[in-house]
Amino acid sequence: MVGPSEAVSSRRRVPDAAGLDVPASKEYRGKIIKKTIERNRASTIKRKYFKELKKEAKKAQKQDTEHSDNHNAAEIGDHSSGAVRAPNDRAISRRKHKPNSNPFQKVLREREQIKKQKEEEKRRREQEIRQAEMQRIKYAHKRKADHKRHSARTSRGQPVLSSQITGILKKLQKK
């Protein structure tokens, strides 16, 4: 007679995906993997098949429209007799038909205009920032050069007065 522990071990185990803590056997897990691979292959083939059908339908529709356009052109002008007939109303409406306009065209234009204004404002601010930075760099360079001239010393450590006097004269001439 088979005991309860032996009966449990001979049963097929539940896969991990079931959310239970019972581990699945390797055989069963392999079967699940094979089934998913087969399902994926089948769905891929089906998807490609329907995609091809759509492409063929578009080609056929495009050829039909080209054929009907050529047929309408032949109706408008009769090349054999040299006489030109009045065009068919249907042919005229097809030629003069406007493509559907976007109902949000006005909003899109306004958005685009606002976007351009913001970009222009951003460019202007960046230009101002670059100019201010250049002025700061020039001013710092000038101050560094002035400091170097004013702090010049003789070999005995005394300040060179000629450079200091020329700096004072330049300031007075500016005023």
Side-chain angles (χ1 to χ4, degrees):
M1 179 158 192
V2 178
S5 64
E6 293 174 18
V8 172
S9 65
S10 65
R11 286 191 217 154
R12 187 165 46 169
R13 302 236 174 159
V14 179
D16 293 334
L20 301 174
D21 294 327
V22 180
S25 67
K26 289 184 180 180
E27 282 181 29
Y28 187 64
R29 205 176 300 154
K31 287 180 183 178
I32 292 174
I33 291 171
K34 286 178 184 176
K35 284 181 182 178
T36 55
I37 290 171
E38 288 295 322
R39 197 177 320 124
N40 289 344
R41 281 185 189 150
S43 63
T44 304
I45 292 169
K46 188 187 282 186
R47 185 173 57 246
K48 287 181 180 180
Y49 172 73
F50 285 115
K51 196 173 185 181
E52 285 296 320
L53 284 179
K54 282 183 182 180
K55 282 183 183 179
E56 289 176 7
K58 284 182 181 180
K59 279 184 181 180
Q61 186 179 10
K62 187 176 180 181
Q63 288 176 353
D64 288 344
T65 56
E66 288 176 2
H67 178 69
S68 63
D69 288 343
N70 292 339
H71 184 67
N72 288 339
E75 287 179 0
I76 293 172
D78 187 15
H79 298 291
S80 61
S81 64
V84 177
R85 291 188 287 171
N88 195 354
D89 288 336
R90 206 170 83 191
I92 290 174
S93 65
R94 191 175 294 156
R95 263 186 263 141
K96 290 188 177 182
H97 177 68
K98 290 182 181 178
N100 291 339
S101 62
N102 189 349
F104 303 108
Q105 191 68 31
K106 184 178 179 183
V107 175
L108 291 173
R109 275 195 304 253
E110 289 174 357
R111 246 191 228 163
E112 190 174 315
Q113 188 177 12
I114 291 169
K115 187 177 178 182
K116 286 180 181 178
Q117 288 174 350
K118 285 182 180 179
E119 287 176 358
E120 184 63 34
E121 182 68 23
K122 186 177 178 181
R123 275 192 233 115
R124 188 183 58 77
R125 274 188 269 127
E126 287 175 354
Q127 182 68 23
E128 288 176 357
I129 289 169
R130 280 195 296 265
Q131 287 177 350
E133 184 66 26
M134 290 299 291
Q135 287 176 351
R136 272 190 239 114
I137 290 170
K138 284 180 183 179
Y139 182 70
H141 186 69
K142 181 183 173 213
R143 281 185 54 107
K144 190 174 180 181
D146 288 344
H147 175 71
K148 192 172 185 180
R149 253 185 269 119
H150 293 306
S151 63
R153 305 281 173 172
T154 62
S155 61
R156 294 188 180 227
Q158 299 298 313
V160 179
L161 293 178
S162 64
S163 61
Q164 291 181 2
I165 292 172
T166 55
I168 293 170
L169 282 173
K170 284 182 183 176
K171 284 183 183 178
L172 289 174
Q173 287 174 352
K174 280 185 180 178
K175 291 182 182 181

